[in-house]
């Protein structure tokens, strides 16, 4: 798994590639904490290159979502496809997160 953070105007774009699972989620959490601590107005999670996600990965993203929303910001997920999209729909997270193609 690799990840990167860029800033586009008032939006933080956080891109995650590869597999987000029990092995990789702990290394991602400090970066997600940094994003949440910035109290951004908008966060876009680009998951277009994510192949696999498990409950640990979902937990990390939900934690970010809750922290950003509690500070008055919005989180949008773009590019969700394949197994990660199926997991989000199974957990009905497609009704919680703003998902874009």
């Amino acid at each position: 798994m690799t990840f990167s953070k860029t800033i586009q105007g008032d939006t933080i774009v956080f891109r995650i590639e590869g597999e987000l699972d029990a092995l990789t989620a702990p290394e991602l959490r400090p970066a997600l904490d940094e994003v949440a601590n910035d109290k951004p107005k908008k966060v876009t999670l680009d998951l277009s290159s994510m192949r696999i996600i498990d409950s640990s990965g979902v937990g990390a993203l939900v934690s970010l979502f809750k922290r950003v929303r509690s500070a008055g910001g919005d989180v949008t997920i773009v590019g969700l496809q394949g197994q990660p999209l199926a997991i989000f729909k199974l957990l009905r997270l497609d009704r919680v997160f703003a998902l874009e193609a």
Side-chain angles (χ1 to χ4, degrees):
M1 178 212 48
T2 60
F3 57 88
S4 62
K5 178 180 99 170
T6 57
I7 298 174
Q8 297 176 351
D10 64 346
T11 303
I12 294 177
V13 178
F14 200 87
R15 181 176 173 87
I16 304 171
E17 301 177 18
E19 299 177 7
L20 182 54
D21 56 19
L23 296 175
T24 58
E27 66 187 69
L28 180 67
R29 281 198 183 264
L32 294 178
D33 287 343
E34 181 181 314
V35 169
N37 290 338
D38 288 344
K39 296 189 183 348
K41 290 294 177 201
K42 296 179 186 174
V43 175
T44 298
L45 293 173
D46 181 353
L47 306 182
S48 57
S49 296
M50 181 183 293
R51 293 187 310 270
I52 294 174
I53 191 167
D54 72 0
S55 60
S56 298
V58 170
L61 298 182
V62 168
S63 175
L64 173 68
F65 174 81
K66 287 181 176 180
R67 291 180 63 194
V68 169
R69 290 295 300 261
S70 71
D74 289 314
V75 178
T76 302
I77 295 181
V78 298
L80 207 53
Q81 59 187 340
Q83 186 266 3
L85 178 59
I87 293 295
F88 270 68
K89 286 184 175 181
L90 178 71
L91 298 174
R92 297 184 180 206
L93 292 173
D94 56 329
R95 297 177 184 191
V96 176
F97 285 93
L99 301 182
E100 296 180 8

